[in-house]
Amino acid sequence: MAASIPKIGWEQVSPAPVVLVFGKESFLADRAMQRLRALLLMEDPELEIHDVDAGQYVDGALELIASPSLFDEPRLVRVENGVKATDALIADVLRYLASPVDGTTLVIRHDGSTVRGKKMLDAIRKTPGAIEVVCQPLKRDELVPFVRGELRLLEREATPGAIAALVDAFHSDIAELANAVRQVALDTQGEVTEQVVRTYYSGRVETTAFAVVDAVIAGDVATALVTLRHAIATGADPVPIVAAFAMRFRQLAKVSGAGGGDSQAARQLGMQDWQVRNARKDLRGYTDATLCEAIEAIAHADHAVKGAERDPHYAVERLVRQLAARS
């Protein structure tokens, strides 16, 4: 019986012939994918990157993409949406695992929400040299170590009280928490203390990413662009900025279809009354059509900032202009 492959966290990702990114926490999965791409590009800037939608896969595509080219450039093949894998993809991956191509890194992302592709997942987990990146939602008691890890990456130190304050303020969304840690670390000097956090996020002040979103929803493109450019100039990553847009507009989409009063809708949607109230106010600037267009633009930008385009900063600025013009 074949031994199980190593299970690691996103921060431990390193190049391997086959990588399974598994779990429902999309923020950690995105981090894993970004880290792997960065490491492979460091090894060889001529890396070829190919993205595959598992739900749209056609027979034979993997063999064609993974085959060595004339100049033998290394390849990164990223298979997204593994929960919707076609029968053709499952069959092709099973054949590929028997003889992985040298110089090719195959990454399959599966959130585990369905058993679709179980035979493929089981095979990956028995493939010598493969690794599995575990990306499950973090429990409350895992958030303090997560914040400590984020601070280490930024080469900053914080008091236990400051870390606890950050977790208290942003525990409901790990992407938001990571962005809050980054912003307070970049915008302050010296040890991050509880007082610094309380002052910086007084009254649960939203992070820079959400300030950009607020300006966009208000139709204030000038403020949105100034805030965005300041964020980028101070080192903000475009990925969490787009994630902030995705979170807010998902919320708008949920509320747009909810009936009843604010309290009733909040209970139905698992939200707070004030969130529903604010979302309904924001929705006044949108029709069903423009809201759908906005969500499509965010999905395109999300793809762009994760490697589909060469300039992620331009991609997020383009998104801001598009959405501000629609609102």
Side-chain angles (χ1 to χ4, degrees), residues 5-310:
I5 62 176
K7 292 187 177 184
I8 60 177
W10 73 267
E11 73 283 359
Q12 299 171 295
V13 171
S14 59
V18 181
V19 180
L20 172 61
V21 178
F22 185 83
K24 295 182 179 179
E25 182 48 74
S26 60
F27 176 79
L28 296 181
D30 289 343
R31 280 282 188 88
M33 303 286 273
Q34 294 159 26
R35 175 176 166 83
L36 185 59
R37 174 180 178 270
L39 290 172
L40 289 169
L41 282 170
M42 286 177 61
E43 289 184 356
D44 193 329
E46 299 301 316
L47 176 73
E48 289 188 7
I49 301 174
H50 299 271
D51 289 310
V52 177
D53 184 337
Q56 303 295 322
Y57 182 87
V58 295
D59 184 39
L62 179 58
E63 182 179 3
L64 182 64
I65 293 170
S67 297
S69 67
L70 179 64
F71 299 103
D72 205 27
E73 294 94 344
R75 280 173 165 71
L76 170 59
V77 181
R78 303 184 295 198
V79 180
E80 297 277 358
N81 206 20
V83 292
K84 294 185 178 180
T86 63
D87 290 341
L89 174 68
I90 295 170
D92 282 0
V93 168
L94 292 176
R95 280 193 294 270
Y96 181 87
L97 294 176
S99 183
V101 177
D102 288 342
T104 293
T105 298
L106 173 63
V107 185
I108 296 180
R109 185 163 167 175
H110 194 296
D111 67 16
S113 60
T114 73
V115 296
R116 181 66 183 165
K118 183 178 184 301
K119 187 175 182 180
M120 174 179 69
L121 300 181
D122 289 345
I124 293 172
R125 289 172 173 142
K126 296 176 182 178
T127 299
I131 59 174
E132 178 175 351
V133 187
V134 180
C135 301
Q136 298 294 1
L138 299 183
K139 297 177 182 177
R140 182 67 181 262
D141 61 359
E142 295 175 306
L143 294 179
V144 168
F146 173 77
V147 172
R148 289 192 183 122
E150 294 294 288
L151 288 165
R152 279 196 299 272
L153 290 174
L154 296 165
E155 299 182 345
R156 293 297 305 276
E157 295 183 356
T159 65
I163 294 172
L166 284 163
V167 170
D168 285 342
F170 298 96
H171 62 86
S172 61
D173 189 294
I174 191 172
E176 199 176 344
L177 175 59
N179 196 44
V181 173
R182 183 177 182 83
Q183 289 303 312
V184 77
L186 292 174
D187 291 355
T188 62
Q189 295 182 344
E191 185 180 47
V192 178
T193 65
E194 182 176 358
Q195 184 57 47
V196 168
V197 174
R198 296 295 181 194
T199 300
Y200 198 79
Y201 295 118
S202 177
R204 180 63 165 77
V205 176
E206 298 291 359
T207 62
T208 298
F210 288 91
V212 176
V213 178
D214 287 341
V216 164
I217 290 176
D220 188 349
V221 65
T223 297
L225 288 173
V226 168
T227 307
L228 173 66
R229 288 166 183 168
H230 173 72
I232 289 174
T234 55
D237 188 339
V239 172
I241 295 176
V242 175
F245 276 101
M247 188 177 81
R248 180 67 67 81
F249 278 80
R250 278 197 301 268
Q251 205 170 69
L252 293 182
K254 286 169 63 177
V255 172
S256 70
D262 294 344
S263 297
Q264 181 183 353
R267 287 193 298 271
Q268 291 173 349
L269 300 173
M271 297 167 61
Q272 299 296 319
D273 292 8
W274 63 267
Q275 290 177 310
V276 173
R277 186 165 54 251
N278 289 346
R280 283 177 166 167
K281 180 181 176 182
D282 293 338
L283 281 166
R284 293 171 190 165
Y286 291 88
T287 64
D288 288 346
T290 57
L291 184 60
C292 287
E293 289 171 0
I295 292 171
E296 289 175 1
I298 293 166
H300 179 78
D302 184 69
H303 191 54
V305 298
K306 291 174 183 174
E309 294 183 13
R310 291 185 177 276

